């Protein structure tokens, strides 16, 4: 109960914020999420870290989610699937101690923006028109009303690359109709037992698709969006590039990936610098290692 009262107070105090103030407060909440992620990962035992990185096949930065959550806030990425394959016990702890507290912080701002829009609609109705224009666009949108939810996938669901998504979590926005509808139809629908890679690419907003032929296999280009976040004082919070999101495209899909990259550069409004890397071996190397 005290927590709910505290959030109500924060919500009412944020209602009259300017757009710039909302962006600043969102950036602070994302920094806090980043801190929680780093602290949680630093608290892992060597055995737990080994399982998180699949015995060293992945870097720890590939298990961070602050960047993908920022992309959801920007209304670019409809869904984030959070899964530590083979170690669902650690996953549940991560969700409880990192993700859920961070969503509570962020959703206070999402509700405050909703209040601001309702107030503006009562005066001249301009915001509803503004929101409609954004709803019909695939460009980044922020500030905007949002309510992030994180739901466990409880049905028996598989995909060609993953034998079981059961026990993983879907993070999505209940106030973004496309996000909520896609997740409920594809991940939280217990009657659906399999999902194709193309369907996943749509929900996760990947510009490329899994190769289907032998020729496709020879045309694979691995892509990582790497990022670094600035502290409130303007200093880098990490001296290495870390993975914000990653996917593969085929060579003929590079032009659409370039357009995808331009849209995703909007993450800079949250003091997150982004670079594109097409060689995953560079993840976590120093920034000047990038071309």
């Amino acid at each position: 109960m005290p927590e709910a009262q505290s959030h109500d107070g924060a919500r009412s105090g944020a209602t009259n914020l300017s757009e710039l103030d909302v962006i600043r407060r969102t950036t602070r909440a994302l920094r806090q999420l980043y801190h929680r992620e780093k602290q949680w990962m630093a608290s892992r035992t060597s055995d737990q870290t080994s399982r998180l990185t699949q015995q060293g096949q992945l870097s720890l930065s590939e298990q961070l989610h602050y960047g993908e959550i920022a992309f959801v806030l920007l209304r670019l990425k409809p869904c984030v699937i959070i899964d530590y394959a083979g170690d669902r016990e650690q996953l549940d702890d991560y969700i409880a101690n990192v993700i859920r507290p961070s969503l509570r912080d962020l959703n206070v701002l999402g509700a405050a923006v909703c209040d601001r829009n309702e107030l503006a609609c009562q005066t001249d109705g301009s915001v509803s028109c503004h929101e409609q224009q954004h709803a019909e666009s695939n460009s980044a949108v922020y500030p905007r009303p949002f309510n992030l939810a994180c739901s466990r996938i409880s049905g028996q669901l598989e995909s060609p690359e993953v034998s079981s998504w059961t026990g993983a979590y879907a993070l999505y926005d209940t106030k973004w109709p496309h996000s909520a509808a896609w997740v409920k139809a594809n991940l939280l629908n217990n009657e659906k037992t399999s999902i194709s890679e193309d369907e996943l690419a749509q929900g996760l907003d990947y510009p490329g698709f899994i190769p289907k032929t032998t020729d496709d296999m020879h045309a694979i280009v691995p892509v990582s969006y790497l990022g670094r976040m600035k502290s409130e004082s303007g200093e880098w919070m990490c001296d290495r590039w870390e993975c914000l999101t990653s996917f593969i495209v085929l060579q003929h899909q590079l032009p659409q990936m370039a357009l995808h990259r331009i849209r995703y550069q909007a993450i800079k409004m949250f003091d997150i610098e982004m670079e594109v890397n097409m060689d995953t071996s560079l993840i976590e190397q120093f920034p000047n290692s990038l071309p």
Side-chain angles (χ1 to χ4, degrees):
M1 185 65 69
E3 182 181 34
Q5 291 174 348
S6 171
H7 281 256
D8 286 343
R11 172 177 167 175
S12 62
T15 303
N16 296 322
L17 291 174
S18 68
E19 288 193 358
L20 182 57
D21 285 333
V22 173
I23 292 172
R24 285 172 176 165
R25 291 198 180 196
T26 305
T27 302
R28 290 191 194 114
L30 288 171
R31 285 193 190 104
Q32 183 59 36
L33 166 58
Y34 179 77
H35 277 304
R36 286 187 178 116
E37 290 197 282
K38 294 293 247 183
Q39 289 171 354
W40 184 85
M41 289 182 178
S43 71
R44 303 296 92 190
T45 65
S46 58
D47 180 59
Q48 288 173 325
T49 299
S50 178
R51 295 200 300 271
L52 278 180
T53 60
Q54 297 181 20
Q55 288 71 49
Q57 295 182 57
L58 304 173
S59 68
L60 272 178
S61 82
E62 291 178 269
Q63 307 296 348
L64 297 171
H65 293 94
Y66 77 100
E68 291 200 300
I69 292 173
F71 294 136
V72 175
L73 289 175
L74 291 167
R75 210 168 191 166
L76 294 172
K77 194 176 184 70
C79 173
V80 177
I81 298 179
I82 304 176
D83 187 21
Y84 293 148
D87 198 344
R88 297 278 162 71
E89 182 179 344
Q90 281 198 88
L91 176 63
D92 290 340
D93 183 71
Y94 172 79
I95 295 294
N97 293 295
V98 176
I99 296 299
R100 296 207 186 282
S102 300
L103 296 195
R104 285 194 292 269
D105 294 343
L106 286 164
N107 285 339
V108 169
L109 292 164
V113 174
C114 186
D115 287 344
R116 290 175 68 251
N117 286 359
E118 289 174 359
L119 181 62
C121 284
Q122 291 170 6
T123 58
D124 61 10
S126 61
V127 173
S128 59
C129 178
H130 179 69
E131 287 295 316
Q132 179 64 30
Q133 290 172 349
H134 279 311
E136 296 169 355
S137 168
N138 65 355
S139 60
V141 184
Y142 202 81
R144 65 176 183 86
F146 64 86
N147 182 68
L148 302 183
C150 188
S151 301
R152 187 177 183 273
I153 300 173
S154 58
Q156 299 299 315
L157 184 67
E158 65 177 9
S159 67
E161 297 291 317
V162 177
S163 60
S164 176
W165 288 108
T166 306
Y169 288 81
L171 189 148
Y172 60 103
D173 181 7
T174 65
K175 288 192 176 295
W176 179 7
H178 173 57
S179 171
W182 187 88
V183 168
K184 290 176 182 177
N186 290 283
L187 300 181
L188 304 182
N189 177 6
N190 288 347
E191 295 182 1
K192 188 179 180 74
T193 58
S194 65
I195 183 169
S196 71
E197 293 297 329
D198 288 353
E199 287 175 315
L200 283 170
Q202 181 185 38
L204 302 177
D205 194 45
Y206 291 158
F209 299 98
I210 292 293
K212 298 179 176 65
T213 67
T214 303
D215 287 342
D216 286 348
M217 291 295 295
H218 295 294
I220 289 176
V221 180
V223 179
S224 297
Y225 290 175
L226 307 182
R228 291 189 301 167
M229 193 172 195
K230 289 182 180 178
S231 66
E232 198 137 8
S233 63
E235 298 176 350
W236 295 116
M237 296 175 67
C238 181
D239 61 0
R240 297 171 183 263
W241 292 103
E242 296 175 313
C243 187
L244 298 175
T245 191
S246 61
F247 48 86
I248 65 170
V249 296
L250 304 182
Q251 288 180 356
H252 72 270
Q253 296 167 335
L254 288 175
Q256 63 201 61
M257 190 280 291
L259 295 175
H260 186 270
R261 170 188 182 173
I262 291 171
R263 293 167 53 227
Y264 274 54
Q265 290 285 0
I267 199 172
K268 289 183 177 181
M269 78 167 64
F270 300 134
D271 282 346
I272 300 172
E273 191 74 18
M274 192 185 96
E275 293 284 352
V276 175
N277 176 31
M278 296 186 188
D279 178 359
T280 54
S281 68
L282 290 180
I283 293 176
E284 288 200 335
Q285 290 190 18
F286 287 96
N288 58 15
S289 297
L290 285 174

